[in-house]
Amino acid sequence: MTYKINPIGYVRDQDDCNVIEILPQYEEAIHGLEEYSHLILLVWFHKSDNEKDRSLLKVHPRHNKDNPLTGIFATRAPVRPNPVALFIPSIISIDKNIIRVSKTEAFDGTPVIDIKPYLPHIDSITDASAPDFR
């Protein structure tokens, strides 16, 4: 079974921020987003979209061989069976189909596959934990 994902825009890299350029046909979909301080940005790591990177199941977190070999789903590595990345940048400004956000690790030209508002009362987990090497 296959699924189709269509980009809704693209990340553009600037010196001090990222610009999310929403495609014209999706411009109406960002109406109201200016009321939020942050957004959830889902992108397709297109530079890691190849069979080799999709087949990796374990990595050393942060490319550090001192860290234990760890299952890909327990890391934030960009190589994944489906190279989807999630960022939570702050919103700097919105002008028509252009959303300026704080810097992320997305490369210039990275396809944006979805945007959601960040909701502190739902998206923040105060008692979360993680291993020390993360």
Side-chain angles (χ1 to χ4, degrees), residues 26-126:
Y26 299 110
E27 183 177 337
E28 286 185 40
I30 63 174
H31 179 256
L33 193 59
E34 68 279 355
E35 300 294 321
Y36 297 87
S37 65
H38 293 74
L39 56 81
I40 297 171
L41 177 65
L42 295 163
V43 300
W44 194 266
F45 268 179
H46 63 299
K47 294 193 179 220
S48 297
D49 193 357
N50 58 67
E51 288 305 315
K52 179 181 175 242
D53 287 346
R54 282 179 172 243
S55 66
L56 285 174
L57 299 180
K58 287 188 173 184
V59 296
H60 293 280
R62 298 181 170 219
H63 302 288
N64 183 343
K65 297 243 186 235
D66 293 335
N67 291 332
L69 199 57
T70 305
I72 202 74
F73 296 143
T75 74
R76 294 283 184 103
V79 294
R80 316 189 73 74
N82 292 305
V84 174
L86 179 147
F87 300 106
I88 304 176
S90 60
I91 298 171
I92 297 169
S93 65
I94 299 175
D95 184 26
K96 298 179 183 163
N97 68 320
I98 302 297
I99 307 169
R100 293 183 74 228
V101 298
S102 58
K103 200 78 157 166
T104 70
E105 294 176 345
F107 293 124
D108 188 72
T110 298
V112 175
I113 59 175
D114 202 3
I115 293 173
K116 300 174 187 301
Y118 178 85
L119 303 173
H121 63 285
I122 294 173
D123 298 319
S124 178
I125 301 171
T126 57

